[in-house]
Amino acid sequence: MAGQLKIGGNVIATHAGTEGAGTVTLDSSTLTIGSNTTISGADIASATFPAGHILQVQSTSGYGTISTNSTSFTATGVRVTMNALKSTSSDLQIFFHDGETDMSAVCYQTTTFYHSINGGSYSEISNTSSEIYHGSTADSRFSHPRYERYNPQTTGTVAIEVYFKTNTGTIWLAKPNDRYSLVVMEVAG
């Protein structure tokens, strides 16, 4: 049954169609929802958001030793998993902040991001590799923040993990008292 919802003599919603079905259209007025109100059945995946709008944020952080002496990329265990809401119209923005990197020899440290789509095997995200040359082992501990942006082209489950390697010796992304963090934001395109 078609009808209108009025408050204070103003139409705030119009229903068109049959009873129990059809479309409810809200007018262009501002809708304020109380802090203890729950909205259920909303389908955010089909909603349209303006470009630059943050759709979701997932993060992880911790303390502890993360090291390798491998010359091949090695998983760090620093991982974030999210269910991407949009496929082609959004980007994932990745922020990683390690503890203080350290090394046992003059070396190159290479850090990159890998991803897994819908539980598949991990593969390197193109063009996310960053290499730092450590020319001295004396007082050379420093932080290495990273930022990358890419589109996974899926609305499925996306896992992002930090990988790293060295060309010689042992490198650390974090020592026992160092804090590290990985933040992944899905941003509307």
Side-chain angles (χ1 to χ4, degrees):
M1 180 169 121
Q4 295 180 329
L5 174 61
K6 292 183 180 184
I7 296 179
N10 298 315
V11 176
I12 52 172
T14 304
H15 179 262
T18 60
E19 188 173 332
T23 303
V24 174
T25 305
L26 297 176
D27 77 351
S28 61
S29 299
T30 300
L31 177 63
T32 303
I33 300 172
S35 62
N36 57 354
T37 302
T38 302
I39 299 175
S40 61
D43 183 8
I44 194 168
S46 64
T48 302
F49 294 97
H53 185 88
I54 297 172
L55 303 176
Q56 64 174 312
V57 177
Q58 299 293 330
S59 66
T60 187
S61 64
Y63 291 92
T65 302
I66 302 173
S67 66
T68 189
N69 59 5
S70 176
T71 56
S72 299
F73 280 119
T74 303
T76 62
V78 180
R79 176 185 318 115
V80 166
T81 301
M82 69 170 43
N83 291 317
L85 299 173
K86 302 287 186 180
S87 61
T88 58
S89 63
S90 70
D91 289 320
L92 296 185
Q93 297 193 9
I94 306 166
F95 303 90
F96 173 64
H97 190 276
D98 55 18
E100 292 183 330
T101 59
D102 201 357
M103 70 294 309
S104 65
V106 174
C107 67
Y108 286 95
Q109 170 193 328
T110 308
T111 308
T112 193
F113 298 104
Y114 275 54
H115 67 168
S116 166
I117 306 295
N118 295 321
S121 60
Y122 278 83
S123 60
E124 186 176 0
I125 300 171
S126 297
N127 302 314
T128 63
S129 181
S130 174
E131 186 174 83
I132 294 178
Y133 175 69
H134 298 285
S136 169
T137 58
D139 298 321
S140 57
R141 293 187 66 178
F142 60 92
S143 182
H144 180 209
R146 296 284 314 280
Y147 165 79
E148 297 293 340
R149 179 178 170 174
Y150 93 111
N151 188 322
Q153 299 288 314
T154 185
T155 54
T157 302
V158 179
I160 307 290
E161 185 165 353
V162 180
Y163 278 61
F164 72 134
K165 68 179 180 178
T166 183
N167 68 326
T168 186
T170 300
I171 59 170
W172 289 264
L173 279 185
K175 290 247 179 154
N177 294 320
D178 292 343
R179 183 176 182 82
Y180 55 84
S181 59
L182 175 64
V183 178
V184 179
M185 295 190 312
E186 184 177 7
V187 180

